[in-house]
Amino acid sequence: DNMMEAMSDIVWAINTKNDRFDNIVNRMRSFAIEILEPENVQIHFHVNEQLNHITLNMQQRKNFYLIFKEAVNNIAKYADCKNVYVDIENKGGKIMLRVKDDGKGFDSLSAEKGSGLAAGQAGVRLGGNGLTNMQKRAVELNGKLKIDSVINKGTEVKLEFPV
């Protein structure tokens, strides 16, 4: 299943018809629904209409989508939340993505050092490849990724990159 999903992501990323931003958003929305609805999580999507005219190249599209996908997967695995808020905007020539949950959060300072434990998840380490891969993808986008989390108050992933 993981291999088929990875192949699907690759084929989608290289297909030029997916350059349009609304196609990217549709794939993001579908993925979030598929992963979060079975967990009884409400998904709140807000996309600024100014993004409809923007196109992303294959590399941008891939990195943007995979950062989002990793954030959603982490929410499904660790957050134990009721709501996820996804906001995508275009401000000053930059795309801004915010994925926020109302879950249990984690100690983000310890996680940056690779030793953080998920709240209520004794023995579950947060210093895996997911957060590192998200940071690498943000760098490839010439962007910035920030992850803020507070125990029992949720987590927020913020990405911004120029277009």
Side-chain angles (χ1 to χ4, degrees), residues 39-155:
E39 303 292 325
N40 293 317
V41 175
Q42 292 292 315
I43 306 150
H44 310 274
F45 246 88
H46 173 261
V47 181
N48 188 313
E49 290 180 19
Q50 294 176 345
L51 292 166
N52 289 339
H53 70 279
I54 290 179
T55 58
L56 299 181
N57 67 39
M58 179 178 60
Q59 191 73 8
Q60 289 173 313
R61 187 169 55 249
K62 178 191 81 164
N63 285 320
F64 179 65
Y65 176 68
L66 291 177
I67 288 171
F68 172 80
K69 190 174 175 181
E70 184 66 34
V72 170
N73 276 325
N74 286 343
I75 289 168
K77 286 181 189 176
Y78 304 114
D80 192 27
C81 65
K82 301 284 184 227
N83 294 282
V84 171
Y85 303 89
V86 178
D87 294 304
I88 309 172
E89 298 181 275
N90 180 7
K91 286 187 178 176
K94 293 183 180 182
I95 291 181
M96 317 281 269
L97 167 69
R98 183 175 75 102
V99 181
K100 182 170 179 24
D101 68 64
D102 60 1
K104 56 185 156 186
F106 61 92
D107 180 351
S108 55
L109 292 177
S110 294
E112 286 176 15
K113 298 174 189 163
S115 62
L117 294 178
Q121 300 275 324
V124 176
R125 294 228 175 264
L126 293 174
N129 291 329
L131 299 179
T132 302
N133 288 340
M134 290 170 77
Q135 289 288 357
K136 287 179 185 176
R137 291 185 188 289
V139 169
E140 287 179 20
L141 286 166
N142 295 316
K144 297 177 189 169
L145 180 76
K146 185 172 183 187
I147 301 170
D148 293 315
S149 190
V150 177
I151 292 177
N152 297 322
K153 293 195 178 184
T155 301

Side-chain angles (χ1 to χ4, degrees), residues 17-29 47 51-54:
K17 80 174 179 107
N18 293 319
D19 287 351
R20 288 188 16 230
F21 207 82
D22 58 335
N23 288 333
I24 299 165
V25 170
N26 288 339
R27 185 161 179 100
M28 293 167 72
R29 193 183 313 264
V47 181
L51 292 166
N52 289 339
H53 70 279
I54 290 179

